[in-house]
Amino acid sequence: MRFLSLILVIALGLGLSACAPTKFKTYRGPEVTQIVVYKADRKMYLMHHNKVLESYNIDLGFTPVGHKQFEGDGKTPEGTYRIDRRNPNSEFHLSVGMNYPNVNDVAFAASQGKRAGGDIFIHGEPNRFKKVSKRDWTAGCIAVKNREMEDIYAMVRDGTVITVYP
């Protein structure tokens, strides 16, 4: 009898956990071949070749104008990079990382006696707050709403090219 009760409790627990919402989605649509960001317009596009699959309003670094040059400058990088990592346990819901800094970024910062910085991501909202109340609040990243980040996380693969324009 105890064994049967234990089996029922486990089955009930598994059944309820299957109904719990998850931040991990699946995507079966066209491949995202590139990400295009226009900082001035605060827009990001997921592209399949020359076709827009999705578009998002974005927030940027707290100093949104200009290319990121140094650690702590609050700027979002400009140029062409690649998505090179993902963080399912991000402090910002979910995140996918850009391979900033590249060799040129590091060399320029070093020529100025500074560090280029790093850890630039596309990410969701902070886990510690329910809502961000100001625009361009990141330290140089690209931010979207959590539900949008869930789609981006599912759609974008490591190796995807991201081009960020001023």
Side-chain angles (χ1 to χ4, degrees), residues 27 29-36 38 45-54 155 160-161 163 165:
Y27 175 70
E31 175 188 11
V32 175
T33 56
Q34 65 178 322
I35 302 167
V36 180
Y38 294 97
Y45 301 93
L46 302 187
M47 308 290 294
H48 176 71
H49 302 293
N50 62 352
K51 179 184 177 201
V52 174
L53 297 174
E54 296 291 340
M155 294 173 74
T160 303
V161 172
T163 303
Y165 295 99

Side-chain angles (χ1 to χ4, degrees), residues 2-20:
R2 280 187 182 178
F3 181 72
L4 183 58
S5 295
L6 179 61
I7 296 297
L8 288 173
V9 167
I10 290 172
L12 180 62
L14 290 173
L16 289 175
S17 68
C19 297

Side-chain angles (χ1 to χ4, degrees), residues 16-154:
L16 289 175
S17 68
C19 297
T22 179
K23 62 184 179 179
F24 301 106
K25 297 181 178 181
T26 57
Y27 175 70
R28 292 178 178 38
E31 175 188 11
V32 175
T33 56
Q34 65 178 322
I35 302 167
V36 180
V37 176
Y38 294 97
K39 288 171 54 173
D41 296 335
R42 303 301 190 282
K43 294 293 279 189
M44 180 173 69
Y45 301 93
L46 302 187
M47 308 290 294
H48 176 71
H49 302 293
N50 62 352
K51 179 184 177 201
V52 174
L53 297 174
E54 296 291 340
S55 66
Y56 303 97
N57 294 319
I58 59 172
D59 285 313
L60 300 168
F62 58 82
T63 307
V65 177
H67 173 58
K68 182 167 194 60
Q69 296 178 319
F70 310 117
E71 184 173 55
D73 66 8
K75 296 180 181 180
T76 302
E78 296 171 358
T80 300
Y81 298 91
R82 288 197 179 270
I83 299 301
D84 67 347
R85 63 200 180 280
R86 49 194 56 243
N87 185 354
N89 301 311
S90 173
E91 291 180 35
F92 302 94
H93 192 58
L94 292 168
S95 60
V96 294
M98 294 169 50
N99 70 334
Y100 174 89
N102 62 28
V103 174
N104 294 333
D105 297 320
V106 172
F108 177 77
S111 75
Q112 304 300 304
K114 297 184 179 185
R115 294 171 39 135
D119 285 337
I120 301 298
F121 287 84
I122 300 170
H123 62 65
E125 300 159 298
N127 291 336
R128 62 185 177 274
F129 302 113
K130 289 196 178 214
K131 191 174 179 183
V132 175
S133 61
K134 68 178 201 165
R135 182 176 211 177
D136 298 331
W137 55 271
T138 78
C141 296
I142 298 166
V144 295
K145 302 288 184 207
N146 286 346
R147 63 182 158 64
E148 297 169 336
M149 191 60 225
E150 291 170 4
D151 293 336
I152 294 164
Y153 195 87

